[in-house]
Amino acid sequence: MEPALDRIAQPWGDRTPYGRGQPWPVRVDSFLAPGTAADGVERWAQSASLLHSDGDAMDIAVAGGRIVGVRGRAVDRVNRGRLGPKDLFGWQANHAADRLTTPLVRRDGRLEACDWDTAMSRVVTEAKGLLRERGPGSIGFYTSGQLFLEEYYTLAVIARAGIGTSHLDGNTRLCTATAGEALKETFGSDGQPGSYTDVDHADVIALFGHNVAETQPVLWMRVLDRLAGPEPPRLVCVDPRPTQVARRATVHLAPRSGTNVALLNALLHEIIRTGRIDRAFVDARTVGFDELAAQVAGWTPGRAARICDVPARDIERAAEVLGGAERLLSTVLQGVYQSHQATAAACQVNNLQLIRGMLGRPGCGVLQMNGQPTAENTRECGADGDLPGFRNWENEQHVADLARIWNVEPSRIPHHGPPTPAMQIFRYAEQGSIRMLWITGTNPAVSLPELHRIRDVLGQERLFTVVQDLYLTETAQLADVVLPAATWGEKTGAFTNADRTVHLSEKAVDPPGEARSDLDILLDFARRMDFRDKDGGPLVGWHDADSAFEAWKECSRGRPCDYTGLSHDRLRGRSGIQWPCTGEAPDGTERLYTDGITWAAAEDCESYGKDLVTGAAVSETEYRALNPDGKAVLKAAEYLPPHEDTSAEYPLQLNTGRTLYHFHTRTKTGRVPQLNAAAPEVWVELSAGEAQRHGVAEGDLVEVASPRGSVRGRLRITGIRDGMVFLPFHYGYWDTPGGHRPGEEGGRAANETTITDWDPVSKQPLFKTAAARLALVERAGGAVSPAPTTTASAPVDPRSAPPTTGGPDAVATQTPGTAPAGEEGGP
């Protein structure tokens, strides 16, 4: 008998408990379109999730040339058959009636349909003219965290060695730039040290600004199953909201925004003070301990409590749990990455793992998480601003090696200065030095901070904008050329999740109309531009996803992210495989740094590091003096107050974030009936104490305003900390009258209010440090908040809101079982 559950109302499904050190049991989740029986599925195509960073493996059901459902892959190491709500229902967005099916070009101020030759000729004419008249610095590219590996690598080659521009970045700058930077600062190179399987072995799991229950629901299922089994792990949660993690935590710390470094310094202080450090590990594998100990020496729990506004005793209790762990796993996400002193705080989490010696063993790892499904690939392939293969742009040998692979002169690859981060790309466009901006698979008119400014930038007559996407997004509506793209299930390619697991996603169906894969669009552009290597051959020598993957393998050879043991064929029909995967490690590598720190030597490292306060680059000479033997670097951090603090006029700290049921700007999930019904409209969260002080109640329509703009939404009273107001960032204007900007009734997009500010090291925008005020617009009058009741937005009074449910169309099956013999799903 297959149990059926409403997977909107019960998003994490039933429990399959297991004990410490045991394998995670299989549970296969599936959902087919209403009216489709299992025997009506004609074939299944292998894939993985595109709506979060977990990498849940699934099969796509096909019937009549259409996608009709999905099921989890029991053999896979990541999910063991489980799927979250976005996995189960998100595929329906492929069938949206408003998919782009033909190119569009702007004529007389309006976007009109045209053929591919017309659209691409216009793009190529503009690009060639700018190269001739203004040079490569006049062209910029802004890409996604949702394309495939082969597409990112092709884009990196085109931008770096074809156009020759430094202006290439992804929207991964908004979610995962700090993850990569923190790993480079500590370990010399990007790449997650840990593995999801560390959940199976840890006795303490610490989550720093990581609402895993909503951002990676299948990973939370793994934690829940450990909690339900023998020897459950203890949880330490740092989050200002009452997340599901916070509700299950042994210790929950809810600090003021912008105080993460103060809190982490106090935790490090207590662990060092009580002698709970692995001195042999520290001496053998790290440098910088004395400086770290001196920096945190004055950070008593009492001092941090005054700054963070959390009880000193809770800080002490958290330090006791962390210091007493036998096997500690730490995870980090946007509560750190999008807040003040982002990289400095993330490095302190690395320091915590290192001084405790918790690295390179089962249950002992750190996961600097990603927010998007292919964010790891942008970093590996160089589509996020770095050089492909985790090469160091300041190392002439690394540049020469890349030039050899591409068969170009080293001088052709821009490396005179650091690559341009996304916020600077938009600044250059605002100033007029960038005159062409190609935006792929992302929606900056909703996702970037201070939206009135971004709309003004994209609306300039002098900026030629190309948008490549699935729908006519808020950004696409401002474009000069719109290119219709194929998506997940409509093309083949590889992508890599947050714990280095590489999956293959097969083409299941044809894309609608004339839509093309991002890879085919980029290859067409490269051919039309006639990019050549130094011998006159085509710069881009591949022609499809398989040959692009093979080209990438050569670029990765000998680098930390070595893919040379992988191929599309090897990834078919089995579990995903973790890189590095080589002849010496043919089944992949579960954990990094099991025998020491591998890539931190000056001649190997991806970066020599930066000053954590100013972001100024550390020179090679300075790095060699600090770290002559290539060890992990314990980088101490001085706490500094946030740039924008509260005031009498703006007394609340503004926090933005995700909900379980949506992804980014809802371009996909807003078109999925079950997901949209679960969270149909923006809402505002406030604590009961703040609601009383402001004279507002559950369901009231309120306005949240900052010095930059305002948003209106129905109020939800939750257990969020006092002094804070929360907005989900997913909501824009594509499904409202007007289409791409606020109406007269006020803003809907959280980023109308956020500040143009970024971390000095990672250049990641800080969405969680603005100040705001709240005012009543109208009483509820029977209206209710649209906020989900199953997640961190659950009401303090359950009677004040109807329960979140997906109804009969949200019922999915769950089948307990075991993986087929010989397919355990782990390397």
Side-chain angles (χ1 to χ4, degrees), residues 509-521:
V509 298
D510 290 329
E514 298 176 34
R516 296 178 177 177
S517 76
D518 298 280
L519 179 61
D520 285 342
I521 295 170

Side-chain angles (χ1 to χ4, degrees), residues 317-501:
R317 287 181 60 226
E320 289 170 6
V321 174
L322 297 170
E326 296 177 4
R327 294 179 184 263
L328 171 64
L329 170 65
S330 291
T331 71
V332 191
L333 198 58
Q334 309 300 20
V336 170
Y337 301 158
Q338 293 180 345
S339 192
H340 179 58
Q341 293 191 279
T343 306
C347 286
Q348 302 320 298
V349 179
N350 294 342
N351 291 344
L352 173 65
Q353 291 292 135
L354 289 167
I355 68 171
R356 294 243 46 234
M358 299 289 176
L359 193 70
R361 295 179 287 130
C364 302
V366 61
L367 291 167
Q368 298 282 353
M369 287 290 187
N370 302 336
Q372 294 192 75
T374 60
E376 186 64 40
N377 295 127
T378 66
R379 286 154 41 193
E380 298 161 5
C381 297
D384 71 334
D386 292 324
L387 294 184
F390 296 157
R391 289 174 172 84
N392 187 340
W393 66 269
E394 294 184 277
N395 187 319
E396 293 292 340
Q397 292 303 313
H398 287 198
V399 176
D401 185 51
L402 187 60
R404 174 189 60 79
I405 294 165
W406 291 347
N407 195 32
V408 298
E409 295 296 339
S411 59
R412 188 155 159 193
I413 301 172
H415 62 285
H416 54 277
T420 313
M423 296 300 291
Q424 190 64 49
I425 287 175
F426 278 84
R427 178 61 172 156
Y428 287 152
E430 184 176 50
Q431 294 172 325
S433 61
I434 287 181
R435 292 298 181 97
M436 175 177 170
L437 184 58
W438 191 327
I439 300 171
T440 308
T442 187
N443 193 15
V446 176
S447 60
L448 286 181
E450 203 168 347
L451 286 181
H452 70 88
R453 175 173 171 257
I454 300 303
R455 286 190 292 265
D456 288 346
V457 171
L458 294 173
Q460 295 177 101
E461 287 292 329
R462 67 185 177 187
L463 179 66
F464 182 82
T465 307
V466 181
V467 171
Q468 190 167 309
D469 216 316
L470 313 182
Y471 315 100
L472 196 63
T473 64
E474 293 88 336
T475 303
Q477 291 177 50
L478 299 170
D480 296 284
V481 176
V482 179
L483 305 176
T487 187
W488 170 99
E490 300 167 359
K491 59 184 182 178
T492 294
F495 55 96
T496 307
N497 76 344
D499 85 333
R500 297 174 285 104
T501 302

